[in-house]
Amino acid sequence: MSRLDAPQRLVLLSGWGIDQRIWQPLDTYWPAHTEVHTVDWPGYGDTPALAEPATLDTLASAMADKLPSNAVWIGWSLGGLLASALLDKLPAPRGLVLIGSGGQFCSDDGVSKAELASFQRAFSRDPDATWRHFLLWQTQGEPNARHAHQQLRAMLGDTPSATNSTLSQGLHWLATLDNTQRLQEAPCPVIQLVGEHDPLVASSTRAQAVNLAHAGHCPMLSQPAQLVATIASQAALVAKEHVCT
């Protein structure tokens, strides 16, 4: 079997405060010729947390076996930010697909630095309540925000599956990581996907992204079939480009 005929291998990476269960709504839509792996970041689910202080180097060591170079990495939100940062630390994948994620998280017309700092302060006072607020916040751009929020709560329960230190570190990475140059000089093809009503994404990111119609920050909840079709087609394009270069 040639590399072009081999199954498309995808690694799906979730965002802040949410483990790999976020990808469950996509399960029935994947094309037959697709090999899908959902993995958790350190500190989520049953995956051991990073020793403190966590760094991108220790994150790369923990994720090395989960992020193979013969796959397309699919990173959503913070997952996309971290996957982009690890391009400097791990062998390059066949391609990188970012969902609701750009070079950096904070922006003047998305989530401002002041808003994120306020969120961090609230998290330090009451982590669980702040996490629940974030679930509500990030579903606001979906066509039926109430239903999307109910889906998240039914999927995840009343408390996060990550440790508080892991969540705090994730907020720090959201506030500080800037992958703008990394993405400009990426060692693999990079595709950005953004929901047309995503309230958390900067206009500069949206301008260079593939538009996901009738979706917000959580298209896996509101538009699972559309998201799978877009991921599969974009992953096929970047994998083909990888083979040809």
Side-chain angles (χ1 to χ4, degrees), residues 5-237:
D5 294 329
Q8 180 68 272
R9 189 177 192 188
L10 309 178
V11 178
L12 309 184
L13 300 156
S14 54
W16 184 85
I18 298 179
D19 59 38
Q20 61 180 287
R21 288 175 289 177
I22 190 64
W23 302 108
Q24 289 176 355
L26 308 188
D27 286 348
T28 59
Y29 297 101
W30 292 111
H33 207 57
T34 309
E35 182 181 325
V36 179
H37 301 268
T38 58
V39 300
D40 276 331
W41 293 104
Y44 285 82
D46 297 326
T47 307
L50 297 177
E52 297 185 49
T55 66
L56 290 178
D57 286 330
T58 59
L59 180 65
S61 295
M63 296 297 290
D65 293 337
K66 298 181 178 182
L67 291 174
S69 60
N70 65 342
V72 177
W73 301 351
I74 315 292
W76 170 60
S77 197
L78 174 61
L81 202 66
L82 291 176
S84 300
L86 294 183
L87 291 175
D88 286 352
K89 308 291 183 180
L90 295 174
R94 291 185 176 179
L96 175 63
V97 177
L98 305 176
I99 304 172
S101 181
Q104 53 187 324
F105 180 68
C106 291
S107 66
D108 292 337
D109 57 352
V111 178
S112 69
K113 291 182 178 179
E115 285 177 308
L116 183 56
S118 177
F119 188 86
Q120 288 174 291
R121 291 192 295 270
F123 180 82
S124 67
R125 293 191 298 269
D126 191 337
D128 287 356
T130 307
W131 173 78
R132 289 191 293 269
H133 174 72
F134 185 72
L135 298 189
L136 183 63
W137 186 16
Q138 69 176 348
T139 56
Q140 293 309 298
E142 304 310 328
N144 188 332
R146 181 177 180 181
H147 179 62
H149 181 243
Q150 290 172 339
Q151 285 179 276
L152 270 184
R153 292 297 299 270
M155 184 185 297
L156 303 175
D158 294 327
T159 57
S161 67
T163 64
N164 285 346
S165 62
T166 295
L167 294 172
S168 180
Q169 177 62 53
L171 292 176
H172 173 73
W173 274 326
L174 284 174
T176 60
L177 279 178
D178 186 347
N179 295 315
T180 303
Q181 186 169 352
R182 287 188 181 97
L183 294 178
Q184 291 173 351
E185 302 172 354
C188 66
V190 177
I191 299 292
Q192 292 174 281
L193 311 179
V194 171
E196 67 172 334
H197 302 300
D198 190 334
L200 308 185
V201 171
S203 58
S204 58
T205 297
R206 189 181 307 279
Q208 54 191 326
V210 176
N211 181 72
L212 297 171
H214 312 297
H217 194 65
C218 301
M220 62 286 290
L221 301 178
S222 63
Q223 304 293 339
Q226 177 196 180
L227 180 60
V228 164
T230 305
I231 289 175
S233 63
Q234 295 296 329
L237 288 175

